[in-house]
């Protein structure tokens, strides 16, 4: 009797110890999984810790950009700009269009799709994409230069995939279950929108996110999503899809103007979003499209408070240098902005901490443009400052302040909005600064100006100046 009781007790104890061991093992596995999850969340939070810097093909090539063009611009960036922080090479709209002579966004366009209704590069313009290689070889080339690779897409699902009711990769869903046939981009006919809350729709976005991660994509610009129309559900679905892949991919939303009241949502789901419609090489525009440099002052002032690590209101690309051989708007040309207006654009973008995405053809860069793009002191304002805000705004002038990352003094940007030269004189008290004297450095001229009791300068039409007022 005692032996039976002992054996039962021993058996129960062993079972208890085994179950506890299993529980401990499960807890260890869960802890490891949670640690990975927390690391992934942390990685998402620090993605685009500073405003992204790079080049986009649209301003100079429109839909005609070829693999050779992309490689040439990437190589130029690696040689001349990488050491200053420029790193993204982004292929804009049309890389999947096989007949690029068709009107951009037109109904006559023909496409390259895979078996799952996803756009893939057209091999007539991206020859390394043949035999199913897609963008992987080109991304590998860009990465071999120490740079990062990006692409542009339209939100939604290709209409061709819906017409053929193609399967969605990795699922039992088909394209028609995902598509919202009542929704399409008003200025591009390629895609249908996706159904909000539909498992099939989320599955499609999941499938393209995985595909892009497999290619080696680091930057995804999604168009027709952040304004006219603003598509909250699709922003969320794309963001969720990107979070499921292991590769960190910056999400950039376009076009603008994004609604300011959506700032919390945009900050939650994206790293960049446009604050205006397309900015081109004009000073000011009274039309929605295009926008000019002068249009961005009021918008930047509204959006500045929402900038921060991982979250960057985007003032749009830099239409500088030469926009050829096939400008995305109007005829191929050298930028129509004067040197002073180009400096003003770069100064405003930097003091606002906008992403800096060059639109001009890098391979045709002249000495002046290259020197502007490699102004390390100005880039430092864009990448490493805080508290950026406008302190004075009138019809003819704007002044911005920011604090250097070191905490020493302030960055001061002065802008002349007038079409004639204007003198400017500001005491430190006028600007809200407390000291009687600051050591002033001109960040464009790279010149120390000595100890000053005020800022005084005459600026040319649409000109600007930016200083570091140091306490030391």
């Amino acid at each position: 009797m005692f032996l039976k009781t002992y054996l039962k007790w021993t058996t129960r104890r062993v079972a208890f110890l085994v179950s506890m061991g299993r529980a401990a093992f499960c807890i260890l596995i869960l802890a490891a999984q949670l640690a990975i999850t927390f690391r992934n969340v942390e990685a998402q939070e620090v993605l685009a810790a500073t405003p992204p810097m790079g080049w986009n093909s649209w301003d100079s090539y429109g839909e005609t950009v070829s693999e050779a063009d992309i490689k040439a611009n990437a190589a130029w960036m690696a040689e001349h700009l990488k050491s200053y922080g420029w790193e993204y090479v982004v292929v804009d709209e049309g890389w999947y269009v096989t007949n690029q002579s068709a009107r951009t966004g037109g109904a006559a366009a023909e496409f390259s799709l895979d078996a799952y209704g996803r756009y893939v590069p057209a091999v007539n313009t991206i020859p390394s994409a043949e035999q199913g290689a897609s963008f992987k070889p080109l991304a590998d080339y860009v990465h071999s230069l120490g740079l990062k690779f990006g692409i542009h897409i339209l939100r939604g699902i290709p209409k061709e995939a819906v017409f053929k009711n193609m399967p969605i990769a990795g699922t039992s869903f088909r394209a028609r279950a995902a598509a919202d046939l009542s929704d399409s981009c008003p200025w591009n006919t390629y895609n249908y929108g996706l159904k909000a809350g539909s498992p099939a729709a989320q599955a499609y976005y999941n499938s393209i996110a995985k595909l892009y991660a497999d290619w080696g994509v680091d930057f995804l610009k999604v168009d027709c999503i952040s304004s006219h129309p603003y598509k909250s559900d699709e922003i969320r679905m794309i963001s969720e899809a990107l979070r499921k892949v292991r590769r960190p991919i910056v999400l950039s939303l376009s076009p603008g103007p994004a609604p300011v009241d959506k700032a919390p949502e945009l900050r939650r789901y994206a790293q960049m979003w446009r604050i205006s419609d397309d900015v081109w090489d004009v000073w000011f525009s009274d039309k929605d499209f295009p926008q000019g440099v002068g249009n961005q002052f009021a918008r930047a002032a509204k959006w500045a408070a929402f900038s921060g690590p991982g979250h960057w209101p985007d003032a749009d690309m830099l239409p500088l240098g030469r926009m050829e051989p096939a400008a995305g708007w109007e005829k191929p040309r050298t930028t129509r902005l004067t040197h002073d207006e180009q400096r003003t654009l770069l100064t405003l973008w930097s003091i606002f901490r906008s992403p800096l995405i060059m639109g001009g053809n890098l391979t045709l860069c002249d000495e002046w443009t290259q020197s502007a793009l490699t102004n390390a002191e100005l880039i430092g304002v864009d990448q490493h400052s805080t508290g950026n805000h406008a302190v004075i705004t009138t019809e003819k002038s704007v002044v911005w302040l920011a604090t250097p990352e070191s905490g020493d003094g302030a960055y001061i940007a002065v802008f002349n909005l007038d079409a004639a030269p204007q003198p400017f004189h500001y005491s430190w008290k006028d600007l809200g600064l407390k000291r009687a004297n600051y050591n002033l450095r001109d960040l464009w001229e790279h010149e120390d100006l000595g100890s000053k009791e005020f800022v005084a300068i005459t600026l040319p039409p649409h000109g600007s100046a930016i200083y570091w007022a140091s306490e030391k």
Side-chain angles (χ1 to χ4, degrees), residues 4 21 171 211 323 455:
K4 288 182 180 180
T171 74
L211 182 68
M323 290 170 285
V455 172

Side-chain angles (χ1 to χ4, degrees), residues 26-310:
C26 289
I27 290 170
L28 288 173
I29 294 296
L30 178 60
Q33 290 175 337
L34 286 173
I36 292 171
T37 300
F38 287 143
R39 284 198 298 270
N40 288 340
V41 169
E42 184 179 3
Q44 287 288 346
E45 289 176 349
V46 300
L47 185 59
T50 60
M53 299 172 62
W55 173 81
N56 179 290
S57 64
W58 184 253
D59 283 4
S60 297
Y61 295 92
E63 271 196 0
T64 72
V65 68
S66 70
E67 181 168 11
D69 298 324
I70 297 160
K71 284 185 171 182
N73 279 273
W76 199 95
M77 180 188 289
E79 181 178 356
H80 300 285
L81 300 182
K82 183 176 72 171
S83 61
Y84 294 88
W86 303 84
E87 60 177 345
Y88 290 98
V89 175
V90 182
V91 184
D92 209 275
E93 184 177 355
W95 46 266
Y96 43 81
V97 176
T98 60
N99 59 335
Q100 291 185 334
S101 60
R103 180 178 62 84
T104 300
E110 298 173 0
F111 309 106
S112 178
L113 273 73
D114 71 2
Y116 299 103
R118 301 174 294 192
Y119 291 125
V120 291
V123 296
N124 57 321
T125 54
I126 312 292
S128 69
E130 63 183 356
Q131 299 181 339
S134 292
F135 264 135
K136 184 70 166 62
L138 182 54
D140 287 347
Y141 171 78
V142 172
H143 294 150
S144 75
L145 299 173
L147 303 174
K148 295 180 179 179
F149 181 68
I151 60 174
H152 167 290
I153 64 169
L154 288 164
R155 66 174 174 87
I157 186 169
K159 289 184 177 180
E160 183 177 337
V162 177
F163 295 151
K164 295 178 178 178
N165 201 24
M166 300 173 81
I168 295 174
T171 74
S172 60
F173 295 118
R174 288 188 171 266
R176 287 179 192 164
D180 179 355
L181 303 185
S182 68
D183 177 42
S184 186
C185 180
W187 43 266
N188 189 299
T189 63
Y190 297 166
N191 291 1
Y192 286 121
L194 289 175
K195 292 178 181 176
S198 162
Q202 185 65 62
Y204 182 78
Y205 274 140
N206 292 349
S207 77
I208 64 171
K210 182 180 184 304
L211 182 68
Y212 302 158
D214 290 344
W215 289 348
V217 169
D218 306 294
F219 183 106
L220 183 63
K221 176 182 175 182
V222 184
D223 219 334
C224 200
I225 196 167
S226 57
S227 183
H228 52 283
Y230 181 84
K231 301 295 289 187
S232 175
D233 291 309
E234 291 201 58
I235 291 171
R236 175 184 51 77
M237 287 192 288
I238 293 171
S239 178
E240 289 183 4
L242 293 178
R243 289 173 187 268
K244 291 176 182 177
V245 299
R246 294 184 178 182
R247 187 175 192 84
I249 300 176
V250 169
L251 177 57
S252 169
L253 304 178
S254 187
V260 176
D261 64 344
K262 298 295 185 181
E265 181 172 71
L266 291 163
R267 284 171 56 87
R268 180 178 180 183
Y269 293 121
Q271 283 72 53
M272 292 170 50
W273 58 90
R274 283 267 298 279
I275 67 171
S276 75
D277 213 318
D278 292 5
V279 171
W280 281 95
D281 50 335
V282 297
W283 173 252
F284 189 86
S285 172
D286 57 4
K287 302 175 182 178
D288 292 337
F289 176 93
Q291 291 286 282
V293 179
N295 297 95
Q296 298 300 73
F297 286 93
R299 291 197 180 99
K302 290 179 182 178
W303 277 105
F306 300 103
S307 290

Side-chain angles (χ1 to χ4, degrees), residues 391-452:
V391 289
I392 296 174
T393 300
T394 72
E395 290 185 1
K396 294 187 177 184
S397 64
V398 170
V399 182
W400 277 65
L401 285 187
T403 302
E405 196 172 68
S406 65
D408 179 13
Y411 293 125
I412 305 160
V414 183
F415 301 94
N416 177 16
L417 306 187
D418 200 67
Q422 296 288 333
F424 297 90
H425 185 288
Y426 301 106
S427 69
W428 302 127
K429 185 177 180 181
D430 292 336
L431 303 178
L433 299 176
K434 297 179 180 179
R435 294 173 64 96
N437 295 77
Y438 288 88
N439 293 315
L440 211 57
R441 179 170 176 79
D442 188 320
L443 302 189
W444 271 114
E445 301 303 326
H446 310 296
E447 181 182 0
D448 290 322
L449 304 178
S451 179
K452 298 291 182 181

Side-chain angles (χ1 to χ4, degrees), residues 353-398:
R353 301 201 74 190
S354 172
L356 300 177
I357 308 296
M358 175 61 172
N361 188 331
L362 292 177
T363 69
L364 301 177
C365 229
D366 59 30
E367 184 177 349
W368 189 93
T369 305
Q370 182 178 342
S371 69
L373 297 176
T374 56
N375 183 340
E377 293 186 86
L378 185 68
I379 290 170
V381 178
D382 181 79
Q383 298 290 294
H384 304 293
S385 59
T386 61
N388 311 63
H389 65 288
V391 289
I392 296 174
T393 300
T394 72
E395 290 185 1
K396 294 187 177 184
S397 64
V398 170

